[in-house]
């Protein structure tokens, strides 16, 4: 038996992809490890959902251990750590940069936005946005600027 999507549903799905970007393939869930008392981490998870990512939030008091096991360099630390597609995403990295990482598949361990720059995804607010960099890092201590915002 062949399964077909009714035309109205297929059109609705296409509009959703055009508005939010491609939906990640099965197995591409973004898992966010965060302190249960941190509000900006949840705001970042919402930003990622709004950009088409399937997000699972894991509250933990052991963020130091999570970062260490994920290989996040201490100098690149932020408040939350995520994994997706075999990469580590540290801090308030914009969804477009994560999508680019997954599309291009560079030889990196992950991306990081050190600290909590005002105006980055999840850190929007009444204060003027700061300029910040998204840093690509490998598993050997190497880093490079991946994007500037």
């Amino acid at each position: 038996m062949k399964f077909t999507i009714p035309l109205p549903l297929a059109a609705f799905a296409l509009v959703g992809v055009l508005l939010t970007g491609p939906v990640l393939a099965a197995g591409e869930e973004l898992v966010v490890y965060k302190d249960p008392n941190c509000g900006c981490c949840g705001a970042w998870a919402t930003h990622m959902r709004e950009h088409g990512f399937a997000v699972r939030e894991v509250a933990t008091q052991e963020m130091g251990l999570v970062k260490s096991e994920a290989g996040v360099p201490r100098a690149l630390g932020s408040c939350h750590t995520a994994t997706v597609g075999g990469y580590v995403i540290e801090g308030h990295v914009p969804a477009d940069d994560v999508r680019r990482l997954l599309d291009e598949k560079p030889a990196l361990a992950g991306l990081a936005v050190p600290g909590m720059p005002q105006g980055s995804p999840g850190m929007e607010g009444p204060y003027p946005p700061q300029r910040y960099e998204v840093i690509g890092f490998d598993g050997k201590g190497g880093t490079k600027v991946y994007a500037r915002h």
Side-chain angles (χ1 to χ4, degrees):
M1 174 180 213
K2 185 177 176 185
F3 178 76
T4 58
I5 300 173
L7 188 54
L9 289 178
F12 181 76
L14 179 60
V15 168
V17 168
L18 293 174
L19 292 176
T20 63
V23 176
L24 294 173
E28 292 291 328
E29 178 181 53
L30 183 123
V31 180
V32 182
Y33 298 90
K34 63 179 196 148
D35 184 290
N37 301 309
C38 185
C40 68
C41 301
W44 182 78
T46 297
H47 164 79
M48 298 305 285
R49 283 186 188 98
E50 289 171 348
H51 286 83
F53 286 86
V55 178
R56 180 168 49 103
E57 297 178 52
V58 178
T60 178
Q61 299 285 347
E62 302 294 331
M63 287 306 301
L65 182 60
V66 168
K67 291 173 190 316
S68 175
E69 289 181 355
V72 176
R74 186 176 297 266
L76 300 182
S78 185
C79 55
H80 56 268
T81 304
T83 59
V84 64
Y87 291 100
V88 176
I89 309 299
E90 178 68 12
H92 296 268
V93 178
D96 289 343
D97 294 336
V98 176
R99 185 144 339 265
R100 180 179 144 213
L101 176 79
L102 295 172
D103 289 345
E104 295 178 354
K105 297 179 180 24
L108 292 172
L111 299 177
V113 171
M116 299 165 64
Q118 197 63 43
S120 61
M123 290 296 297
E124 301 87 352
Y127 304 105
Q130 298 173 303
R131 292 185 171 274
Y132 64 95
E133 295 178 331
V134 176
I135 307 298
F137 62 94
D138 62 25
K140 300 173 186 168
T143 62
K144 69 177 187 173
V145 175
Y146 191 77
R148 288 185 170 89
H149 299 277

